[in-house]
């Protein structure tokens, strides 16, 4: 029996979940792999906190760097989050020849290329299954099973907090702040939940997915993102009446402008109206779901818990076992050579849009509004009027059009005397292909 000593950096939602899960599964792991994993040291901010774990209090300390440099530690697991000190700690662990496992999407979406290269040079594992979509096996299928697949598009729900909030708002009319606070207490949200609700967390995950799927360097700053904080109960109700659910989606796709050096890709995160019959519309609470569209395999769908300490710990433990097996057999996995990516601007992308306008209810208004759409080449698929007099609202759904034309339309609509307000504009996932 090989015995490996694990240094755990961070013991919050995910770290504590890992300690408890490994306690339950240690014997099974040992039988299957011949390796006994021991969490030998744990770094936290406060050693005084009661974490409800049955582990020797002497393993806790506040000096993560000391754990990384400890020659008795074989594998490092980082679940602190954020850029620093996580980045330096992982770099030092890799430089010391230790395999590392992390759930840190923010770090990988900003400094992944540097860390992947360091791990490749050092010949050690850098595993990060838990960084995208929590418990769902997604990175390993992309890295291994789909390594030779010409992946065209990845689309899905990759943030559990926002999916939980939107579910609670649409199913029981919960207000936004109340639903966010529940998501925080359930351990779904990031330390600063702005990362979730403004789309940074999903953007980081989309960048990582694009990097792994397209073999090209895509960073958080390449991702266009809009959050859900401006979505109201009225938007959700209007979407329902029109046959849609409001979801926060992430899309990473290969576009037509690649060159010999690397692919052109478009990566974005935004709220979207999803037809109720679309599989994503029924993904509730903290669950995530991701479609991968390949050139040969066709459509694949991955579904499961996208957040929460214990589900995420499941993905971390899977990586830890993999790293342990690779360490004892001397064969680390590699991400492979990454090429530069060209990023297509959001202005050039096409979508259908939902637009709500508060207008004066009098003759000629609809004609003047329709004229603005027409001048910018934006074709209207459907239109409804709700309310009368001062409360009149016009609701449009467009055919697919270019983002820059839509933005020009909105600018001109705001300039019309009869338009009191341009409300939320939400992209619409089309009916034509149920997975797009
Ligand atoms: P928490 O905030 O619950 O836990 C963070 C832990 O790190 C705490 O134990 C904290 O110590 C410790 N810590 C913070 N700073 C330091 C430091 N400088 N040195 C040592 N320890 C430190 O975060 P989560 O467990 O929720 O998330 C951890 C990582 O996992 C993040 O990268 C997150 O994005 C990712 N992730 C989280 C998921 C989730 O559902 N929660 C899902 C998927 C990924 P103390 O307890 O003393 O404050
Ligand atoms: N805060 C993240 C979410 C955790 O809500 O999805 C999982 O990455």
């Amino acid at each position: 029996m090989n015995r490996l000593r694990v240094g755990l950096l961070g013991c919050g939602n995910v770290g504590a979940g890992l300690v408890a899960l490994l306690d339950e599964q240690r014997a099974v792991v040992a039988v299957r792999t011949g390796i006994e994993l021991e969490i030998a040291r744990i770094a936290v901010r406060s050693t005084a906190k009661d974490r409800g774990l049955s582990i020797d209090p002497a393993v806790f300390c506040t000096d993560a760097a000391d754990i990384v440099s400890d020659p008795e530690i074989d594998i490092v697991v980082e679940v602190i989050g954020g850029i620093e000190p996580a980045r330096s700690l992982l770099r030092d662990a890799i430089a010391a020849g230790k395999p590392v496992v992390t759930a840190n999407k923010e770090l990988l979406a900003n400094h992944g290329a540097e860390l992947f290269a360091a791990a490749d040079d050092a010949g050690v594992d850098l595993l990060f299954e838990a960084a995208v979509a929590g418990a769902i096996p997604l990175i390993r299928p992309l890295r291994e099973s789909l390594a030779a697949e010409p992946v065209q598009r990845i689309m899905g729900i990759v943030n559990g907090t926002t999916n939980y909030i939107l579910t609670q708002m649409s199913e029981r009319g919960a207000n936004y702040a109340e639903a966010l606070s529940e998501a925080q207490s359930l351990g779904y949200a990031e330390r600063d939940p702005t990362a979730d609700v403004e789309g940074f967390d999903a953007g980081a995950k989309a960048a990582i997915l694009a990097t792994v799927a397209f073999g090209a360097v895509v960073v958080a700053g390449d991702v266009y993102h809009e959050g859900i904080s401006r979505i109201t109960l009225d938007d959700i109700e209007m979407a329902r009446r029109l046959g849609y659910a409001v979801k926060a989606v992430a899309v990473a796709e290969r576009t037509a402008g690649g060159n010999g050096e690397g692919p052109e890709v478009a990566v974005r995160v935004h709220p979207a109206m999803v037809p109720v019959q679309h599989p994503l519309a029924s993904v509730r609470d903290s669950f995530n779901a991701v479609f991968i569209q390949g050139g040969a395999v066709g459509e694949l769908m991955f579904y499961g818990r996208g957040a929460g300490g214990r589900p995420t710990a499941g993905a971390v433990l899977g990586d830890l076992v993999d790293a342990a097996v690779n360490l004892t057999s001397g064969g680390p996995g590699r991400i492979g050579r990454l090429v530069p990516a060209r990023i297509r601007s959001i202005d050039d992308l096409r979508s259908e849009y939902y637009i709500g306008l508060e207008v004066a209810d009098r003759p000629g208004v609809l004609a003047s509004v329709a004229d603005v759409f027409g001048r910018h080449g934006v074709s209207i698929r459907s239109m409804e009027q709700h309310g009368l007099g001062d409360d009149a609202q016009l609701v449009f759904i467009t055919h697919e059009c270019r983002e820059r034309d839509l933005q020009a339309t909105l600018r001109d609509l705001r300039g019309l005397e009869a338009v009191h307000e341009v409300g939320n504009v939400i992209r619409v996932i089309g009916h034509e292909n149920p997975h797009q």
Side-chain angles (χ1 to χ4, degrees), residues 8-16 42-49 51 61-65 78-82 84-86 89 102-107 129-135 161 186-191 201 205 306-313 316:
L8 177 61
L9 313 182
C11 194
N13 294 307
V14 181
I42 303 177
V44 287
R45 261 182 314 201
S46 158
T47 52
K49 223 183 245 181
R51 296 166 201 274
C61 72
T62 54
D63 188 351
E78 183 274 313
V79 280
I80 291 176
E84 286 294 350
L89 291 167
T102 180
N104 192 334
K105 50 269 161 129
E106 187 186 355
L107 176 63
E129 186 62 71
V132 181
T161 301
L186 288 164
Y188 302 156
E190 297 303 304
R191 208 179 310 159
D201 177 83
K205 291 166 177 168
R310 190 172 163 87
T312 307
V316 174

Side-chain angles (χ1 to χ4, degrees), residues 6-74:
V6 178
L8 177 61
L9 313 182
C11 194
N13 294 307
V14 181
L18 178 69
V19 173
L21 188 59
L22 182 55
D23 218 24
E24 293 162 30
Q25 294 299 100
R26 182 172 290 104
V28 173
V29 172
V31 169
R32 286 199 186 163
T33 63
I35 300 168
E36 197 169 301
L37 291 169
E38 179 201 357
I39 305 242
R41 298 188 66 188
I42 303 177
V44 287
R45 261 182 314 201
S46 158
T47 52
K49 223 183 245 181
D50 177 12
R51 296 166 201 274
L53 297 169
S54 50
I55 191 162
D56 180 356
V59 303
F60 286 95
C61 72
T62 54
D63 188 351
D66 190 52
I67 296 184
V68 166
S69 62
D70 182 344
E72 299 288 304
I73 293 295
D74 302 299

Side-chain angles (χ1 to χ4, degrees), residues 274-287:
V274 178
V276 288
Q277 60 274 36
H278 191 289
L280 286 183
S282 52
V283 177
R284 300 175 59 256
D285 285 339
S286 68
F287 282 89

